[in-house]
Amino acid sequence: VALPGRAHAFGLDDVAKRAQEVAAGAYQDQKGAVPDWLVNLSYDQWRDIRFRPDDSLWRNRKSSFEVQFFHPGLFYDRPVRINTVDAKGVQPVAFSPNLFDYGKNKFASQVPQDLGFAGFRIHYPIKTPKYHDEVIVFLGASYFRALGRNEAFGLSARGLAVDTAESSGEEFPWFREFWLVVPSPGAKEMEIYALLDSPSVAGAYRFVVRPGVETEVDVEARLFMRREVKKLGVAPLTSMYFHGENDLRDVVDFRPEVHDSDGLLLQTGTGEWIWRPLDNPRALHVSSFSTEHPKGFGLIQRDRDFANYQDLEARSELRPSAWVEPKGDWGKGRVELIEIPTKSDIHDNIVAFWVPAEAPKPGTPASFAYTMSWYGDDPKRPPGGRVVATRRDFGTFEDAHRFVVDFDGGKLAKLPADTVVRGVVSIAGGDDSAELLDQQVVKNPVTGGWRLAFQVRPRHKGPVDVRAFLDKGGEALTETWSNVILP
């Protein structure tokens, strides 16, 4: 496709034109473009293929940004086209086996000279000016993941989710082509364009990456539907939750908790902050949080204490949180949380995204824009009191569930122990759904926070949604804690 020859003339409109053309034609899958023997590599074999750092894109330009590339194989069975954009125009980045060190593998001479790349990663000096740290990776389908200054890679984002947790099966769109805009010397942000494709939808994406203590990624997307879908997931996040303090499972593991995220955080259009602790359920569970004009949502790793993980390799306490802040009016819809049962920590089993009330239809383009923040801890999300731990057991009453919820932050630490703090507990469906048996609120003399404990007895065998927050004289002191009792 003809693209403009000057960087200042290249933009999202050009990629959107290409996406619209792609959507108008039949979907062309690129599976099979990578030889089977590369797809059948073991994980260790593929991991032993390493890009040569001295060949990093822009290393000799004294740029603050550098780019390294990934080799196709194993899970990555589609090559992607990668281009650069500068004042001279659009130039493809040529693949060569010479760009890679194949380690102990003996097949370097068999790799096709024009194979193409699987993806790329961007490096930027976020810790020290003398070293370019890995800050964001685009690899596999439409997946990408980023981190801030003091984090280690954990959860991922995607360009789009299609029919996730639907009986018809999930569709995984993929970024088939990228355009990397060459940053000016000393630049603190980098611009990336991408073309997304799948049997149901094509899309044009613009990413602006600003690395730092909290790495921000501005995202603009224009979607062109080939056909209607049951469920469109905008700004999807994918993470792992194996076990933790919120579980009722008995897991034989030296690690007290194993997860990349421990909760879903949501700020509704009305400004309410909601915290839903994650779980590894026994069966697939989907939770919906309906709202209009959402202000933000994210999958959060709130527990930052190494003692609660004890994993010297994974360093789960360093995994980033990811927060999505919409731009413009997203209208009516819902934030959906999907929790998938897993028996291992190698599987990502948590998904969260925005589902618009009315999915885009063929012939009517749709646009979404948002900023993603990747960070460690942020006392401003939420600005008041927050849940710091959720524990549960079967309590002291027959057929009951006991929740022990610890709150901290905001005004809580300054409140004397004799302050009258009330726990406001509500059950969806009221008394017909479940019986609230008892509750108490006490100041925690160890942490300075406050603890809410209560017991609930379900009256039926279906899921029971429970919410709670702390209140003082009619003033809400905390975010709203939300959980579900599953049969």
Side-chain angles (χ1 to χ4, degrees), residues 225 229-232 356-361:
M225 307 302 297
V229 300
K230 291 183 179 179
K231 180 167 56 181
L232 194 71
E358 294 187 12
K361 298 185 182 300

Side-chain angles (χ1 to χ4, degrees), residues 25-194:
Y27 174 65
Q28 297 179 353
D29 198 344
Q30 296 298 310
K31 280 190 175 182
V34 176
D36 288 343
W37 64 267
L38 276 171
V39 177
N40 293 327
L41 293 179
S42 69
Y43 176 75
D44 289 336
Q45 285 178 306
W46 181 81
R47 191 179 181 186
D48 210 23
I49 306 173
R50 301 178 186 275
F51 188 83
R52 298 181 186 275
D54 288 344
D55 291 319
S56 298
L57 201 62
W58 309 324
R59 169 156 289 199
N60 297 323
R61 293 183 68 255
K62 296 182 179 180
S63 172
S64 51
F65 290 90
E66 293 182 358
V67 183
Q68 298 182 14
F69 301 95
F70 291 97
H71 197 287
L74 190 60
F75 309 122
Y76 312 111
D77 56 359
R78 295 184 181 100
V80 299
R81 291 174 55 88
I82 300 177
N83 310 279
T84 61
V85 182
D86 61 15
K88 297 179 181 179
V90 176
Q91 300 292 331
V93 179
F95 171 88
S96 171
N98 294 328
L99 296 172
F100 295 88
D101 180 347
Y102 288 82
K104 297 178 182 179
N105 297 310
K106 305 299 182 183
F107 49 71
S109 61
Q110 303 175 43
V111 176
Q113 295 293 315
D114 59 350
L115 179 60
F117 300 107
F120 62 94
R121 58 185 175 227
I122 295 174
H123 295 245
Y124 181 91
I126 55 175
K127 294 181 181 178
T128 170
K130 296 182 178 181
Y131 183 78
H132 285 68
D133 303 276
E134 191 174 358
V135 295
I136 189 168
V137 175
F138 289 83
L139 179 64
S142 67
Y143 283 90
F144 62 97
R145 56 182 183 161
L147 43 71
R149 177 181 294 170
N150 298 313
E151 284 84 64
F153 280 116
L155 83 166
S156 301
R158 284 187 278 168
L160 197 66
V162 176
D163 289 342
T164 309
E166 291 291 327
S167 59
S168 57
E170 183 169 4
E171 180 177 298
F172 289 89
W174 63 293
F175 289 132
R176 56 186 289 176
E177 189 165 5
F178 291 93
W179 293 264
L180 314 180
V181 179
V182 180
S184 60
K188 296 183 179 181
E189 63 181 36
M190 181 177 162
E191 192 174 13
I192 303 163
Y193 295 92

